[in-house]
Amino acid sequence: MPLGERLGDKTDSRYCGVETEFNDDMPQLLSCNMGGGFDFVVSPLMDPTYRPSLMEAGIPPFAGSDLVLSPLQWSSHVVGKISSWIDLDSEDEILRKDSEIVLKQEIAWASHLSLQACLLPTPKGVSCANYARCVNQILQNLNNMQLWLRIPLEKADDDSLNGNCDPLGKGQVDSWETWNCFRLLCEHHSQLSIALDVLSSLPSTNSLGRWFGESVRAAIIHTNSFLTNARGYPCLSKRHQKLIIAFFNHSIQIVVSGTPVHNLPMGSSELAANHTDNFDSVQRHSLRAYLDYVAYLYQKMDPLPEQERLELGYRDFLQSPLQPLMDNLEAQTYETFEKDTVKYIQYQRAISKALLDRISDEEASSKTTVLMVVGAGRGPLVRASLQAAEETGRKLKVYAVEKNPNAIVTLHSLVKLEGWENIVTIVSCDMRCWDAPEKADILVSELLGSFGDNELSPECLDGAQRFLKQDGVSIPTSYTSFIQPVTTSKLYNDVKSHKDLVHFETAYVVKLHRVARLAPSQPVFTFTHPEYSTTKDNQRYKKLQFEIPHDSGSVLVHGFAGYFDATLYKDVHLGIEPSTATPNMFSWFPIYFPLRTPVCVRPGSPLEVHLWRCCGSTKVWYEWCVTNPSACPIHNSNGRSYWVGL
Amino acid sequence: MPLGERLGDKTDSRYCGVETEFNDDMPQLLSCNMGGGFDFVVSPLMDPTYRPSLMEAGIPPFAGSDLVLSPLQWSSHVVGKISSWIDLDSEDEILRKDSEIVLKQEIAWASHLSLQACLLPTPKGVSCANYARCVNQILQNLNNMQLWLRIPLEKADDDSLNGNCDPLGKGQVDSWETWNCFRLLCEHHSQLSIALDVLSSLPSTNSLGRWFGESVRAAIIHTNSFLTNARGYPCLSKRHQKLIIAFFNHSIQIVVSGTPVHNLPMGSSELAANHTDNFDSVQRHSLRAYLDYVAYLYQKMDPLPEQERLELGYRDFLQSPLQPLMDNLEAQTYETFEKDTVKYIQYQRAISKALLDRISDEEASSKTTVLMVVGAGRGPLVRASLQAAEETGRKLKVYAVEKNPNAIVTLHSLVKLEGWENIVTIVSCDMRCWDAPEKADILVSELLGSFGDNELSPECLDGAQRFLKQDGVSIPTSYTSFIQPVTTSKLYNDVKSHKDLVHFETAYVVKLHRVARLAPSQPVFTFTHPEYSTTKDNQRYKKLQFEIPHDSGSVLVHGFAGYFDATLYKDVHLGIEPSTATPNMFSWFPIYFPLRTPVCVRPGSPLEVHLWRCCGSTKVWYEWCVTNPSACPIHNSNGRSYWVGL
């Protein structure tokens, strides 16, 4: 029975599981826990007393045959819990060998049952290499099953171990290091994911943030992590609540574990009242109060805003950036972007301010401002300009310059429909070669990509600048790109799945969701228009240093999220840089620059990044690299993998 | 004129160059220096006062047109020296842009002239990323020309910066860090190599050792690095001499640089007497005394031993290991290995000792020892056994078991030729399934590979053990494999050139030469024969920690060199582990385990390595990985890339 219904939430986080002891009677185990309101069990598959070295060869003591449950029951309601005694990195060779045999037997059995996932016990010792070697061997030939490595959510706050290079050494207090070592050994295998053990005390918020860039599938909450509310019921601390909500938002399933530690009268739960209709007759599940509290947290979440719901399908989905100069946009694309009201309101505000600055009230009726929309598309900026003129009472003459002949068709009918024939002149031409009949006071354009200059706004406006008056203004006046380092296992694996260099040297447009933002973003390249300098050059080079907050612990950087912020005119800006983003605007998702090899950054060590914007005669491209803490190959040399055509 | 003739030396290190100033008159420059005894010049190609930003567009001021020298002269005798003022990482943007333009112009010009190499100036600042980006762009489209990055040979001895993660930070005192950063950015490009500036003081021997695993092409010795001998002539310190000899041995060319600092009477050189026959008439080259000293060092080198000369062609050449069980050896292979006298003398000594231990003098004439040679090949161990019997006066009955039917033919004729018919029984059978008519006192085998067990000696001897008496002995009694971390740019690039995973997960047999051995080797797996334990298992797992000597500085580990040492019988051993290697034995080159991504190890940080020997029903394979200072993917999971068939 799902935790509740939530508009738009189709993810597994609606389902809540329960961890159980070994039980030879699987049907009984399942019906008891399903009857108690849980959606699935995390249960041992094999008698925990079994040791191959102590047994004659025979049938391994599995919990029932495959026939005791239906295939659907096995696959939908059972997560296999691998024997927790196994220790593949023990000094005891017999234990090590027993562990390897049992691990392989249990996984093979779970595969036979078509389980969706198995829970692997937490690595025990100071080393996990042999465990990882064995799991890695299993992963090479596994069916669709996921392996959830169980990792306690713990990190010492006093960073006595700063920059320690011994991730699993004696001083080990950051469980993320264990995970990082394990998954690096298993080469980021996409079927290896995480089940986090949520303990009663939580590490720092920065350190928790790292997990949202990892493939966490489940969070196991122990009953002794719960507090007790005034009425004696289990509840969670504010920080725990926030964390659980974040898990829900990241499609992470909750699993309740442990024995009841709250002494509750049977059937008296108020919170649970809505959920117990069908089951009050049977014996109440001993962990029901904990489940009810989890459901309560789920149900009290704010509904997803409509725009978020519309964009659910785009979350963490890699899109190749547009080639706006080489290709013509399709009607559907115009349709989508024209709906971004907020953006055009900002443009209208900027144009109004410019008109008021340039034309005094006295001149308003006599002077006509020449405004050129370069890249007019199907006309939204033409409309915004005319509205600004109306709002300010200024007279306008508009040229709408557009290179896409298909958009020109729509422009003509718009002008006719609106009766703008006397004000608006449509020009079917690439702005870089248009021979304008007069010069403009105001040049308005919307040529920005997610990274500002990445759709070649600089090159286009350089061309248009010829027909701007000496004192004319460009809207936007300037724009700046930004980057920040991120952890994003999902995107890394998606890029890697192409098995080529090209995809690792391409920047993608992507709605980042399962991502950890590791440090505040920093500005990269700025372009200002118009630009009359004689040494004008659209090539750029920027070196940046990021400091990862010390209490984050070590982090793995898969790449960089990129944004832009544009000054349209004076104080009117527009952008997607997270700290200053224009609210409710949806035209741009961030850009993502991947790294071929993720870089591990230890506390106290700066991350140094270099970005270049390079220009050739037919194309513009970026190159990027990291030089600290260690140097990586320069990505996309000569634009060999990714470029934007002029 | 080469430095001298040396048997077997066909490398470029015979040729000595000289660094010159810019000279517009290339023919004059060349004839003066060639006449002075040098083989090539390292000369600027462009007027060093030229700055693009200060000039009108025009013809760049190159030193002469391409016609002033013949194509052969350009390519054989001129190394282009790129303008040393360039600084691509300057804070001064104009200087940076001038530098990029000039660097590209000069390299394009050098390519046009088909020069073999250009000397790139030393990176100047605390950062080299923009310089590397530009060089990397050039490398993507370069003809065969080499780019020699000039690096001063310097490293502060007090390691105040231990483990500093800022390789080019203010504290920079190890020039190897600069090189490492530069080449990582350029992705180990095989046309990017090194010219070392040898200064008057040298860093520690361990730190120098690193360079012999790198692609150093030239060593530039400054006149002020020379000392003065009793007669006023230039000479070098003992440490410098040793270094220069090592350069010669690694095909590194010497270039003399600077102005004369020794005030010598013209024509009075004694050392130089042999070399000046033709040139005494013309004006003596001002650096002639330095050249003569370099030639003197070259000529006084010990000649290469014959075996080394025979093996020159195998240096740093990757060979796939044998599959001795699946394939039959060819006659040529037997021929080569049978010539290894030292090896068979050791076997004979071991067999003699065993015979004397087992048969007292009193029993010598009555008791016959049953000796079985398993894997007899064409008979060398049969001969060694019979010689041991003769030497000790013991009676022997020999079974020669061999699975290769082609070798059996040779064995038969050998036995007939030597008249051994009454002593030697030839058995054409795989030892693992032979049904022996009696049990053996002594089992003799030579099934060892470069890494000991890698040709499946353990599995073969397990099979043969069935027909060994309870108190019988195996020769060898035991064997142990060893590994040590190495720097070896050459092998890394050779493996990488295959552009696939398989080659990075294969162990190779290779005569290591251009390699830096970074720490003493450590034992890995040991096998003992016979082995009667009930839990007998030929799978192995070993975790090793290597400490890189602190005064080495940071190092790059490309992989691991592997060796073996075998105890044939009691104190008679045989092996190739460097510190205990049996002298003058040539049957085995080391084995090399590559790493997919080289690992940088900083001073004070241990290198942790894991090796597994895994056994399946049809094959045996190794897996390996590094977990410290950072974890890498486990190599060769399930033997997917490299295995030895059973």
Side-chain angles (χ1 to χ4, degrees), chain A residues 88-89 91 93 96-97 100 104 126-127 129-134 136-138 140-141 165-168 180-182 184-187 501 505 535 537 539 541 543 545 596-597 600 602 605-606 608 610 612 614 621 623 625-635 637-640, chain B residues 88-89 91 93 96-97 100 104 126-127 129-134 136-138 140-141 165-168 180-182 184-187 501 505 535 537 539 541 543 545 596-597 600 602 605-606 608 610 612 614 621 623 625-635 637-640:
Chain A
L88 279 107
D89 291 276
E91 294 294 317
E93 193 176 342
R96 224 164 60 211
K97 289 186 173 176
E100 180 163 351
K104 289 184 172 170
V126 294
S127 179
N130 195 44
Y131 190 5
R133 188 265 313 161
C134 189
N136 191 48
Q137 286 183 343
I138 291 167
Q140 307 304 308
N141 299 305
C165 286
D166 179 16
L168 292 166
N180 189 45
C181 183
F182 204 101
L184 288 174
L185 289 169
C186 294
E187 213 177 341
L501 179 63
E505 297 192 332
T535 60
D537 182 355
Q539 307 207 69
Y541 167 44
K543 175 167 81 172
Q545 279 215 347
R596 290 162 55 178
T597 304
C600 188
R602 306 203 175 274
S605 168
E608 189 171 278
H610 303 255
W612 292 267
C614 304
W621 69 95
E623 301 190 18
C625 72
V626 166
T627 50
N628 252 324
S630 55
C632 75
I634 291 168
H635 288 53
S637 184
N638 289 323
R640 63 184 167 200
Chain B
L88 279 107
D89 291 276
E91 294 294 318
E93 192 176 345
R96 224 163 61 209
K97 290 188 173 176
E100 180 163 351
K104 289 184 172 170
V126 294
S127 179
N130 195 43
Y131 190 5
R133 189 265 313 164
C134 188
N136 191 49
Q137 287 184 339
I138 291 167
Q140 306 304 310
N141 300 304
C165 286
D166 179 16
L168 291 167
N180 190 45
C181 183
F182 204 100
L184 288 173
L185 290 168
C186 294
E187 213 179 340
L501 179 64
E505 298 193 331
T535 60
D537 182 356
Q539 307 208 70
Y541 167 44
K543 174 167 83 172
Q545 279 215 347
R596 290 161 56 178
T597 305
C600 189
R602 306 203 176 275
S605 168
E608 190 171 276
H610 303 254
W612 292 267
C614 304
W621 70 96
E623 301 191 17
C625 73
V626 166
T627 49
N628 252 325
S630 54
C632 74
I634 291 169
H635 287 54
S637 184
N638 289 322
R640 64 183 167 201

Side-chain angles (χ1 to χ4, degrees), chain A residues 56-350:
Chain A
E56 292 295 305
I59 305 159
F62 286 121
S65 90
D66 50 0
L67 293 172
V68 301
L69 297 180
S70 72
L72 189 68
Q73 281 178 309
W74 280 118
S75 68
S76 302
H77 301 299
V78 180
V79 167
K81 183 181 164 189
I82 303 301
S83 287
S84 54
W85 59 264
I86 69 165
D87 183 2
L88 279 107
D89 291 276
S90 167
E91 294 294 317
D92 175 351
E93 193 176 342
I94 292 174
L95 173 55
R96 224 164 60 211
K97 289 186 173 176
D98 272 353
S99 299
E100 180 163 351
I101 292 168
V102 167
L103 175 60
K104 289 184 172 170
Q105 279 177 336
E106 295 187 17
I107 298 281
W109 178 244
S111 298
H112 174 69
L113 300 173
S114 298
L115 301 194
Q116 284 187 45
C118 277
L119 180 68
L120 300 176
T122 308
K124 291 191 172 51
V126 294
S127 179
C128 67
N130 195 44
Y131 190 5
R133 188 265 313 161
C134 189
V135 169
N136 191 48
Q137 286 183 343
I138 291 167
L139 284 166
Q140 307 304 308
N141 299 305
L142 197 61
N143 59 7
N144 289 321
M145 194 162 69
Q146 284 281 328
L147 300 182
W148 297 351
L149 186 66
R150 186 169 194 159
I151 299 283
L153 196 53
E154 60 184 344
K155 177 180 172 296
D157 269 347
D158 84 285
D159 282 287
S160 50
L161 73 164
N162 72 73
N164 190 337
C165 286
D166 179 16
L168 292 166
K170 296 281 180 194
Q172 170 70 39
V173 281
D174 182 1
S175 61
W176 182 89
E177 300 266 11
T178 307
W179 160 248
N180 189 45
C181 183
F182 204 101
R183 64 94 170 269
L184 288 174
L185 289 169
C186 294
E187 213 177 341
H188 307 262
H189 201 287
S190 60
Q191 285 170 268
L192 178 67
S193 47
I194 306 157
L196 285 175
D197 260 322
V198 179
L199 309 178
S200 55
S201 80
L202 294 178
S204 72
T205 305
N206 278 326
S207 121
L208 287 176
R210 296 176 298 177
W211 295 103
F212 294 102
E214 305 285 359
S215 59
V216 180
R217 297 304 179 105
I220 303 168
I221 309 181
H222 298 250
T223 49
N224 55 23
S225 297
F226 283 80
L227 307 174
T228 308
N229 74 8
R231 287 191 302 264
Y233 284 91
C235 64
L236 287 169
S237 75
K238 286 274 178 233
R239 287 198 66 211
H240 277 83
Q241 291 181 37
K242 214 174 145 190
L243 181 66
I244 305 298
I245 301 289
F247 287 153
F248 287 142
N249 276 324
H250 286 79
S251 315
I252 295 167
Q253 299 186 288
I254 304 295
V255 175
V256 176
S257 169
T259 50
V261 293
H262 292 75
N263 213 350
L264 293 175
M266 277 301 171
S268 70
S269 165
E270 291 168 50
L271 280 171
N274 304 327
H275 302 287
T276 50
D277 312 332
N278 307 322
F279 299 105
D280 262 347
S281 49
V282 303
Q283 203 194 347
R284 198 173 154 74
H285 195 289
S286 67
L287 297 176
R288 182 65 191 234
Y290 304 93
L291 170 63
D292 288 341
Y293 185 78
V294 172
Y296 157 74
L297 289 182
Y298 182 85
Q299 290 160 19
K300 78 165 189 175
M301 284 168 74
D302 289 331
L304 275 182
E306 191 195 347
Q307 188 59 37
E308 270 299 311
R309 287 208 306 280
L310 289 174
E311 292 175 1
L312 275 176
Y314 291 100
R315 282 184 176 177
D316 302 311
F317 177 77
L318 298 168
Q319 295 175 272
S320 291
L322 297 172
Q323 285 276 6
L325 271 62
M326 293 170 61
D327 305 336
N328 283 321
L329 299 187
E330 293 163 16
Q332 184 56 53
T333 313
Y334 285 118
E335 190 75 22
T336 305
F337 289 133
E338 284 168 11
K339 286 193 182 131
D340 196 345
T341 326
V342 173
K343 181 174 76 173
Y344 294 110
I345 288 173
Q346 289 299 87
Y347 267 98
Q348 187 179 331
R349 288 185 53 211

Side-chain angles (χ1 to χ4, degrees), chain B residues 289-361:
Chain B
Y290 303 93
L291 170 63
D292 289 341
Y293 184 77
V294 172
Y296 156 75
L297 289 182
Y298 182 85
Q299 289 160 21
K300 78 165 186 176
M301 284 168 75
D302 289 332
L304 275 181
E306 192 194 344
Q307 189 59 37
E308 269 300 312
R309 285 208 308 281
L310 290 173
E311 293 175 0
L312 275 176
Y314 291 100
R315 281 184 176 175
D316 302 311
F317 176 78
L318 297 168
Q319 296 175 270
S320 292
L322 297 172
Q323 285 277 8
L325 271 61
M326 293 169 62
D327 305 336
N328 285 320
L329 300 187
E330 293 164 15
Q332 184 57 53
T333 313
Y334 286 119
E335 190 77 22
T336 305
F337 289 133
E338 286 168 9
K339 285 192 182 133
D340 196 344
T341 327
V342 173
K343 180 174 74 172
Y344 294 110
I345 288 172
Q346 290 299 88
Y347 267 97
Q348 187 179 330
R349 288 184 53 212
I351 298 165
S352 293
K353 286 210 176 191
L355 286 174
L356 290 175
D357 276 358
R358 296 180 68 84
I359 310 287
S360 66
D361 287 344

Side-chain angles (χ1 to χ4, degrees), chain B residues 565-578:
Chain B
D565 188 78
T567 298
L568 292 182
Y569 183 75
K570 291 192 169 166
D571 64 339
V572 185
H573 88 107
L574 191 77
I576 60 167
E577 193 282 314

Side-chain angles (χ1 to χ4, degrees), chain B residues 393-590:
Chain B
R394 266 50 179 178
K395 292 175 69 175
L396 217 54
K397 179 174 180 186
V398 174
Y399 289 89
V401 186
E402 173 56 44
K403 73 164 178 56
N404 179 356
N406 309 307
I408 291 285
V409 176
T410 321
L411 263 182
H412 274 291
S413 50
L414 174 74
V415 166
K416 198 170 172 192
L417 190 73
E418 298 282 357
W420 294 339
E421 288 93 339
N422 296 328
I423 316 168
V424 178
T425 309
I426 297 171
V427 181
S428 180
C429 189
D430 186 317
M431 71 182 87
R432 291 172 292 173
C433 46
W434 180 41
D435 189 13
E438 61 182 316
K439 292 209 167 185
D441 296 284
I442 302 176
L443 210 56
V444 184
S445 64
E446 51 168 335
L447 304 166
L448 299 176
S450 299
F451 198 54
D453 59 77
N454 63 306
E455 295 185 5
L456 309 196
S457 176
E459 284 71 18
C460 292
L461 293 183
D462 281 355
Q465 182 174 307
R466 292 173 292 119
F467 43 82
L468 183 64
K469 287 181 183 164
Q470 198 61 40
D471 71 338
V473 302
S474 167
I475 293 176
T477 308
S478 73
Y479 36 89
T480 299
S481 50
F482 292 80
I483 60 165
Q484 73 183 158
V486 293
T487 299
T488 167
S489 282
K490 160 79 165 65
L491 297 186
Y492 174 75
N493 268 324
D494 286 355
V495 173
K496 195 177 75 160
S497 69
H498 292 280
K499 298 177 197 241
D500 62 21
L501 179 64
V502 169
H503 284 82
F504 269 118
E505 298 193 331
T506 297
Y508 302 88
V509 168
V510 54
K511 181 171 169 63
L512 298 172
H513 184 69
R514 282 168 56 181
V515 62
R517 293 177 168 84
L518 302 170
S521 71
Q522 293 187 30
V524 188
F525 307 134
T526 295
F527 289 86
T528 303
H529 299 284
E531 172 60 79
Y532 295 112
S533 152
T534 54
T535 60
K536 181 171 168 45
D537 182 356
N538 292 330
Q539 307 208 70
R540 292 286 188 280
Y541 167 44
K542 185 79 172 193
K543 174 167 83 172
L544 295 171
Q545 279 215 347
F546 290 95
E547 297 283 342
I548 311 294
H550 206 272
D551 66 348
S552 295
S554 296
V555 299
L556 196 69
V557 179
H558 290 105
F560 298 88
Y563 317 98
F564 79 94
D565 188 78
T567 298
L568 292 182
Y569 183 75
K570 291 192 169 166
D571 64 339
V572 185
H573 88 107
L574 191 77
I576 60 167
E577 193 282 314
S579 66
T580 59
T582 312
N584 302 316
M585 199 172 60
F586 59 82
S587 289
W588 295 275
F589 292 149

